[in-house]
Amino acid sequence: MDAIYEAIYAVHALDWIDPSDDLGHEAMFLADMLVRLRPDDPEARGLAALIAMTQARRDARVVEGCLVPVPEQDTKLWDHALNRYALRHLSIAQAQRRPGRFQIEAAIQAVHVHRHETGRTDWQSLLALYDGLWALCPTPGVAVARVSVLSHVEGPEVPLEVLNRIKGLEVFQPAHALRADILARKGQEHDACQSYQKAISLTVEPALRRYLEKQRSQISRNTADKSPSIYTAEPKP
């Protein structure tokens, strides 16, 4: 079953950044079929819920060719029928009290779904869920995602130290993008730009690349605005 879960998840992952083909719909079909074949399998329901909530954001994920992170997406563009389908399967899975990786990943996405109702992201709940996911699935992706959430809970100082202690992230693009974001929030614009440049060099997806370039350009403009000017006689309007 683990191999089947992973195969369906892989089909879904291929469609995540460029939802221009039918892979996402195929992954959703396969996950739904798996639930019908194994209705008492909580991980099958967790996988279906995870894929559905991600598919629900297809129209909000990339705008004008640029990636939009989930916390910044316009929730009105989400497919809320798919979200309701996902939350129903997740609720049934959780009632069985046999947690697994895909159920926790779906629960993480459910926290983002609730932003449509509350207008805010519950970062504390996300941190608790990532702690649980890390216990089951200690991958570099989970580690970096957890640090990202931690930076929203505690501010940039401690998370940057945690990120710097994680081994094996030299060519892991999300780690450099996160370091850039944290450094920018610390006011270290020059170092942030360097980290963004490293992340860009490791990025092949056009939408993600445009997003990173946009973030780097914004920091560069902010740095330029702070630079002393020889025209100091008159204030800027």
Side-chain angles (χ1 to χ4, degrees), residues 58-136:
R58 288 171 66 92
D59 293 338
R61 186 174 302 124
V62 177
V63 176
E64 296 181 351
C66 183
L67 179 73
V68 181
V70 175
E72 300 173 20
Q73 289 176 10
D74 182 353
T75 63
K76 294 191 294 295
L77 298 177
W78 293 352
D79 184 334
H80 296 291
L82 261 184
N83 282 333
R84 288 191 294 271
Y85 162 94
L87 294 174
R88 183 171 66 252
H89 279 305
L90 180 59
S91 177
I92 294 171
Q94 290 176 331
Q96 297 186 45
R97 299 187 180 279
R98 288 187 284 151
R101 168 195 166 189
F102 293 112
Q103 293 172 71
I104 296 176
E105 288 197 35
I108 288 169
Q109 299 308 318
V111 173
H112 290 296
V113 167
H114 288 311
R115 180 169 67 85
H116 177 67
E117 300 173 357
T118 65
R120 56 180 291 272
T121 299
D122 187 348
W123 297 105
Q124 196 69 56
S125 292
L126 283 176
L127 183 59
L129 287 167
Y130 271 111
D131 286 343
L133 185 59
W134 173 255
L136 289 176

Side-chain angles (χ1 to χ4, degrees), residues 28-203:
M28 188 69 258
F29 169 79
L30 291 171
D32 186 71
M33 182 174 65
L34 190 60
V35 170
R36 295 173 187 274
L37 292 171
R38 296 174 59 87
D40 295 327
D41 182 347
E43 275 293 83
R45 290 187 183 272
L47 178 61
L50 169 62
I51 293 175
M53 282 184 275
T54 308
Q55 285 296 307
R57 303 182 192 129
R58 288 171 66 92
D59 293 338
R61 186 174 302 124
V62 177
V63 176
E64 296 181 351
C66 183
L67 179 73
V68 181
V70 175
E72 300 173 20
Q73 289 176 10
D74 182 353
T75 63
K76 294 191 294 295
L77 298 177
W78 293 352
D79 184 334
H80 296 291
L82 261 184
N83 282 333
R84 288 191 294 271
Y85 162 94
L87 294 174
R88 183 171 66 252
H89 279 305
L90 180 59
S91 177
I92 294 171
Q94 290 176 331
Q96 297 186 45
R97 299 187 180 279
R98 288 187 284 151
R101 168 195 166 189
F102 293 112
Q103 293 172 71
I104 296 176
E105 288 197 35
I108 288 169
Q109 299 308 318
V111 173
H112 290 296
V113 167
H114 288 311
R115 180 169 67 85
H116 177 67
E117 300 173 357
T118 65
R120 56 180 291 272
T121 299
D122 187 348
W123 297 105
Q124 196 69 56
S125 292
L126 283 176
L127 183 59
L129 287 167
Y130 271 111
D131 286 343
L133 185 59
W134 173 255
L136 289 176
C137 187
T139 66
V142 173
V144 171
R146 182 188 176 278
V147 174
S148 176
V149 173
L150 184 64
S151 73
H152 289 278
V153 174
E154 296 193 6
E157 293 291 344
V158 172
L160 185 59
E161 296 176 5
V162 175
L163 183 64
N164 289 336
R165 290 198 298 267
I166 301 174
K167 305 297 184 181
L169 300 181
E170 291 78 9
V171 293
F172 191 53
Q173 180 270 332
H176 294 283
L178 175 58
R179 180 175 287 107
D181 176 67
I182 294 175
L183 287 169
R185 283 190 275 155
K186 281 171 58 68
Q188 298 176 219
E189 287 91 353
H190 177 72
D191 292 339
C193 283
Q194 288 187 322
S195 290
Y196 270 126
Q197 186 57 48
K198 179 64 175 179
I200 291 167
S201 73
L202 296 170
T203 302

